Amino acid sequence: GNMEWKDIEFCRKESGLPVVIKSILSASNAQQALNSGCSGIWLSNHGGRQLDNTAAPMTTLPRVASVVKGRVPIIIDGGIYRGQDVFRALALGATAVALGRPLLYGSALGGVQGVQAVHTHLKNELTMVMRLAGTPTIKNITREFVARTEGGWAS
């Protein structure tokens, strides 16, 4: 059957492992996940394949981060293609970013070396964005480095 919020506690007790909830796309679902004892929140719309017009994870990230308030890690995927995207996600409250398609593209083009090349490229881009922003460490990346615009968040 379908999983319910109450099943999170069962999964934690039976497995002895932390439970990270994937597919959170709203502040209210993030709050429910926290209330249910999750150990992490993963913002994802699965590439937008299941529902048309689903909000992009980056769009919902600021609202989710304001609910989570650092109590559990926030992982985000979707739309992470450049170092600037990683910087923006961290600035808006993500703890970590997950990469899907970029790594698949790298793998298709060059196997393990292609995946490593994608990772190195993103890391180098993030390092450059951090230098330009004057943020020597990841911890120095805060929301003040992204500006609120009419349509959402931009950097």
Side-chain angles (χ1 to χ4, degrees), residues 103-128:
L103 295 183
L104 292 175
Y105 298 152
S107 178
L109 293 172
V112 172
Q113 290 175 327
V115 171
Q116 183 61 45
V118 169
H119 180 265
T120 299
H121 182 75
L122 275 171
K123 184 177 177 182
N124 290 341
E125 283 185 346
L126 175 59
T127 298
M128 180 58 67

Side-chain angles (χ1 to χ4, degrees), residues 68-144:
V68 172
K69 296 182 175 125
R71 290 177 280 181
V72 299
I74 298 173
I75 305 160
I76 185 171
D77 69 27
I80 309 291
Y81 295 99
R82 304 173 300 156
Q84 185 176 357
D85 302 325
V86 175
F87 186 92
R88 181 182 304 119
L90 295 171
L92 294 176
T95 310
V97 299
L99 303 172
R101 289 184 188 145
L103 295 183
L104 292 175
Y105 298 152
S107 178
L109 293 172
V112 172
Q113 290 175 327
V115 171
Q116 183 61 45
V118 169
H119 180 265
T120 299
H121 182 75
L122 275 171
K123 184 177 177 182
N124 290 341
E125 283 185 346
L126 175 59
T127 298
M128 180 58 67
V129 173
M130 289 173 63
R131 286 181 182 152
L132 292 170
T135 53
T137 69
I138 297 291
K139 289 183 180 183
N140 295 111
I141 301 172
T142 62
R143 194 174 286 198
E144 70 185 359

Side-chain angles (χ1 to χ4, degrees), residues 25-40:
L25 284 174
S26 71
S28 61
N29 278 348
Q31 185 62 60
Q32 184 65 48
L34 290 172
N35 294 347
S36 300
C38 78
S39 299

